[in-house]
Amino acid sequence: MFSQKMLWGSLTALVLLTGTSGVTLAEMPAHSSEQTSQFHRIEQPLALKVGVAIGGLTLIGLELWWFLLYKSSES
């Protein structure tokens, strides 16, 4: 089975990776889950949505070109 040292090391790594601790989770008020259950829609202009989509597709295209299609002059 697991040794106590391995168990504490795993729990410590989990806390460090997630950035949470039992103290902060225990101090959360009970009504906070009610506040986070509702999402508020933030309307964005259509131009911004289109710009972000075009920028994302451009970056995907550049990555595909760089890793799949680019031929260096050395070879």
Side-chain angles (χ1 to χ4, degrees):
M1 198 93 172
F2 292 175
S3 67
Q4 187 176 8
K5 185 177 181 180
M6 179 183 279
L7 179 65
W8 281 111
S10 299
L11 288 175
T12 304
L14 180 66
V15 167
L16 291 175
L17 287 174
T18 59
T20 60
S21 68
V23 175
T24 57
L25 291 176
E27 294 175 357
M28 290 178 57
H31 67 280
S32 67
S33 62
E34 296 171 6
Q35 292 176 350
T36 58
S37 65
Q38 296 291 326
F39 291 104
H40 300 285
R41 181 179 280 288
I42 300 174
E43 290 297 325
Q44 301 292 334
L46 182 61
L48 180 62
K49 293 178 184 180
V50 170
V52 168
I54 290 173
L57 291 173
T58 302
L59 288 174
I60 290 171
L62 283 171
E63 289 180 26
L64 289 173
W65 172 78
W66 180 262
F67 289 109
L68 299 177
L69 303 173
Y70 180 72
K71 305 280 190 224
S72 69
S73 59
E74 297 174 5
S75 44

